[in-house]
Amino acid sequence: LRPGGMERLVVHLATELAQRNIPVRVICLQKPGALSSLLQDQNIDVVALQSCSGKDFKALYHLSRELQRFGPTVIHLHDYASLPYVALANLFSGHCPVLFTAHGLLYEGFDGVQKRLRFFSRFLTAVSAVSEKVSERHQEYLGWAKGVTVIGNGVPPVEIDEKQRRLIRQELECAEETCVFLAVGNPRPEKAFEDLLDAVALLKRKHSGSFLVAIAGTLADTVYCHSLLDKLDQLDVADCCRFLGFRDDTAALYSAADCFVLSSRSEGLPMVILEAMTAALPVISTNVGGIAAAVGNHVVLVNPQHPAQLAEAMEQLMTQPRLQGRLAESGRKHVAAHFGVGRMVDEYLDWYRLNTE
């Protein structure tokens, strides 16, 4: 349960199920992760198998024992890494339905394991996806012929806190009149933060000192993350763009921001966009995955891998407060009406029932 959209969805789903008096247990193949405390605070059991290597027979044994103890009616799987373990452990522990939700578009690293996952997908009862684009991608990837149920993500409303706004903006050392753009996501190639940095450089030429881009997400010790930090220096934009690293106060960051920006080259249906819209932030996003179909009329869409368009859209929001206000209000209402947690959980429960009868 590291910080990420898929993991936050698991937290929202498990929390709502527990609040409806439905017994739920969350099992992590590896470590509990930073978000596990949110479930533990709700007295929801989080079990970590502590598996950090492939073909871990000890983890398979422990997973089988956990399933035997809990006796689930349904197993809801959210990532491919766990699929072989769940498929085999379920054979030993009870043969209950295993349902899989596809969250992303498989940007990189999945070609080499396709044959293995296609084999283990035979043990799945049903597949869902967070958008039509994600559904199409995973059907093709798995060779899945049974059809996929599309269940859009849902998020709880983000409450704006003026005190937190002041505190975060003081931390960022920016004046109240500074336009703060927020981006949230763990830096990986599909997030394309290098495109955002190029857009910042273009915007700085015309509006130096009047805006700040804050990027929240874990900076890992990877070649990609090091390249982003190098690019920050090469473009000389450190004065108007900050990598904040991992933050556990994203609600406060939403309160502090004036706009939200997403530069990704690949997405399913990002939780962060929905969260930003519930916080009444106008959103700029690349037109990828299921974003346009879900919220297209309520955000500013630009082409992926096009920093000039991104910079132009950022300038548009900076200089047009009426547009900011219109997008903020329409986006908030749209997400509240169509992407609430209650609606999402209702649809998952219907899906569970359909595949356990």
Side-chain angles (χ1 to χ4, degrees):
L1 292 172
R2 61 190 176 190
M6 175 181 71
E7 293 82 1
R8 287 203 299 279
L9 181 139
V10 171
V11 170
H12 297 329
L13 176 57
T15 300
E16 180 72 13
L17 290 173
Q19 289 174 352
R20 299 187 187 194
N21 296 317
I22 297 172
V24 60
R25 176 170 295 180
V26 176
I27 301 178
C28 303
L29 182 61
Q30 299 178 347
K31 299 178 181 180
L35 299 183
S36 62
S37 62
L38 299 177
L39 294 176
Q40 291 161 346
D41 289 345
Q42 301 294 323
N43 295 316
I44 296 171
D45 288 338
V46 177
V47 177
L49 301 180
Q50 303 292 342
S51 176
C52 296
S53 62
K55 299 180 181 178
D56 189 339
F57 294 103
K58 185 177 179 180
L60 177 61
Y61 171 76
H62 286 306
L63 176 57
S64 179
R65 291 293 302 273
E66 287 296 334
L67 294 178
Q68 289 173 1
R69 277 194 286 263
F70 187 62
T73 305
V74 62
I75 300 171
H76 189 176
L77 184 64
H78 292 268
D79 73 301
Y80 279 129
S82 301
L83 174 55
Y85 290 91
V86 170
L88 294 174
N90 188 44
L91 290 178
F92 303 140
S93 61
H95 299 271
C96 80
V98 178
L99 312 183
F100 175 75
T101 291
H103 291 268
L105 290 172
L106 307 178
Y107 187 73
E108 63 174 15
F110 287 89
D111 291 341
V113 295
Q114 184 178 23
K115 288 183 179 179
R116 182 197 315 164
L117 295 178
R118 281 194 169 194
F119 171 79
F120 281 107
S121 70
R122 301 173 186 177
F123 296 90
L124 296 174
T125 305
V127 174
S128 74
V130 299
S131 74
E132 290 289 350
K133 291 286 188 182
V134 173
S135 169
E136 293 167 7
R137 175 72 175 99
H138 287 261
Q139 273 192 292
E140 182 276 330
Y141 180 77
L142 292 175
W144 184 260
K146 300 179 185 178
V148 174
T149 301
V150 175
I151 300 176
N153 289 341
V155 295
V158 176
E159 300 296 333
I160 298 302
D161 187 321
E162 288 299 325
K163 180 181 178 182
Q164 290 297 322
R165 176 180 174 86
R166 291 192 298 272
L167 290 174
I168 296 294
R169 291 176 79 95
Q170 286 173 10
E171 175 193 335
L172 297 175
E173 298 179 332
C174 63
E176 183 56 36
E177 61 270 18
T178 301
C179 184
V180 175
F181 292 92
L182 176 65
V184 177
N186 295 320
R188 297 191 299 268
E190 66 267 30
K191 299 300 181 183
F193 285 129
E194 64 270 34
D195 295 340
L196 180 56
L197 293 181
D198 284 332
V200 169
L202 293 171
L203 195 60
K204 182 181 175 180
R205 296 175 187 174
K206 297 174 65 175
H207 297 279
S208 180
S210 59
F211 75 97
L212 175 70
V213 175
I215 303 172
T218 303
L219 277 167
D221 186 15
T222 63
V223 172
Y224 179 71
C225 288
H226 288 300
S227 72
L228 289 177
L229 295 176
D230 290 341
K231 191 177 185 73
L232 188 74
D233 292 333
Q234 292 165 6
L235 294 175
D236 190 27
V237 293
D239 59 328
C240 52
C241 184
R242 313 266 182 85
F243 283 97
L244 306 182
F246 167 69
R247 301 289 296 233
D248 60 3
D249 59 346
T250 50
L253 295 176
Y254 287 127
S255 295
D258 300 295
C259 305
F260 187 88
V261 59
L262 184 136
S263 56
S264 296
R265 298 178 183 180
S266 177
E267 289 284 357
L269 177 56
M271 299 286 283
V272 289
I273 281 185
L274 302 179
E275 290 170 355
M277 293 171 76
T278 71
L281 289 180
V283 170
I284 301 165
S285 172
T286 47
N287 188 359
V288 293
I291 295 171
V295 298
N297 293 331
H298 305 277
V299 304
V300 178
L301 291 173
V302 300
N303 291 323
Q305 302 184 63
H306 207 307
Q309 280 191 15
L310 195 58
E312 183 179 343
M314 293 167 73
E315 181 180 27
Q316 186 181 23
L317 284 187
M318 281 177 59
T319 58
Q320 297 184 35
R322 291 181 65 182
L323 176 61
Q324 274 194 39
R326 179 173 64 79
L327 287 174
E329 184 62 14
S330 70
R332 184 187 63 78
K333 290 180 178 178
H334 179 73
V335 172
H338 300 284
F339 294 97
V341 169
R343 185 277 313 160
M344 177 186 73
V345 174
D346 287 342
E347 292 187 26
Y348 275 122
L349 284 172
D350 288 343
W351 186 53
Y352 297 164
R353 294 185 186 104
L354 178 64
N355 289 286
T356 53
E357 291 175 349

